[in-house]
Amino acid sequence: MDSGRRDDSTVITMPESKSNGKGKAPAVAMATTKAAPGGWKKGVSIFDFILRLSAIGAALGATATMGTTDETLPFFTQFFQFQAEYDDFEVFLFFVVANGITSAYLVLSLPFAIVCIVRPHAVGPRLLLLIFDTVIMALTIGAAAAAASIVYLAHSGNPNANWLPICQQFGDFCQSTSAAVVSSFIAAFLLMFLVVLSGFALRRN
């Protein structure tokens, strides 16, 4: 009698342990597959937020550096002086306005970037950032490229057009404008990376 009961208990217990094992494995696998994409999206959104903060610093640096650039050459009399300011060149004025717009946009985009962190799977905010990032990137690249051409002429001149380089006289002015252009190109590169990152995140949805 005892051996028969042991056999029965063994028969009853073995299927229960197998069924429990089979039931838990798919649940764990499903939980893992559901948690992985969300964590990846959140990591991308956090990196996006950090890049936006870096781009704000670069765009603001370019705006402030160019907007405060001026140099006056010392001469014997105060009635005869040569002065160079950024607003003497329409291209530099456009550069300051464009980078100011870029800085303001990046600051306004931070709340949307935070929404993407809180809701990694949200498509609307990510798509909106992708569209406006592309427009601002084009504006920043255009302003930086136009200013770079003027800075190049200031450094090298153009012998064919009899344009003499002015950086030999206005050294500080040329150094400030060159630094502003480099900072603007950094902001444009970060915006380009943000566009690629947003497109990749949307593609993985």
Side-chain angles (χ1 to χ4, degrees):
M1 293 296 292
D2 293 337
S3 60
R5 289 179 182 176
R6 289 178 182 175
D7 294 338
D8 293 339
S9 63
T10 304
V11 173
I12 292 172
T13 304
M14 292 299 291
E16 288 180 358
S17 62
K18 290 181 180 179
S19 62
N20 290 336
K22 290 182 179 179
K24 290 181 180 179
V28 174
M30 291 178 62
T32 305
T33 54
K34 288 182 179 179
W40 183 86
K41 297 283 186 181
K42 190 172 183 178
V44 170
S45 300
I46 293 174
F47 187 53
D48 179 278
F49 185 81
I50 296 173
L51 287 179
R52 289 183 188 279
L53 292 178
S54 302
I56 290 173
L60 281 177
T63 305
T65 302
M66 183 66 79
T68 58
T69 297
D70 66 276
E71 184 179 2
T72 302
L73 296 182
F75 279 91
F76 294 102
T77 173
Q78 61 179 354
F79 300 104
F80 187 72
Q81 293 180 341
F82 289 102
Q83 187 176 10
E85 295 182 355
Y86 82 95
D87 54 359
D88 293 334
F89 304 88
E90 287 78 5
V91 173
F92 289 162
L93 187 60
F94 167 69
F95 178 89
V96 171
V97 173
N99 281 273
I101 293 174
T102 300
S103 303
Y105 161 75
L106 288 170
V107 172
L108 294 176
S109 70
L110 291 179
F112 294 93
I114 295 174
V115 171
C116 292
I117 296 175
V118 177
R119 301 179 59 188
H121 294 284
V123 178
R126 177 69 64 184
L127 182 60
L128 189 66
L129 288 175
L130 175 62
I131 294 172
F132 282 100
D133 285 348
T134 305
V135 175
I136 295 299
M137 178 193 68
L139 176 65
T140 308
I141 292 177
S149 64
I150 300 300
V151 170
Y152 175 79
L153 286 177
H155 278 279
S156 303
N158 191 336
N160 296 327
N162 291 325
W163 293 344
L164 300 176
I166 66 171
C167 288
Q168 296 178 357
Q169 291 79 26
F170 297 95
D172 294 338
F173 177 82
C174 289
Q175 289 180 0
S176 297
T177 54
S178 299
V181 169
V182 171
S183 183
S184 182
F185 271 117
I186 293 174
F189 174 78
L190 292 174
L191 282 166
M192 187 183 305
F193 195 80
L194 285 171
V195 170
V196 175
L197 193 65
S198 296
F200 184 69
L202 287 172
R203 188 168 176 265
R204 292 293 298 270
N205 277 331

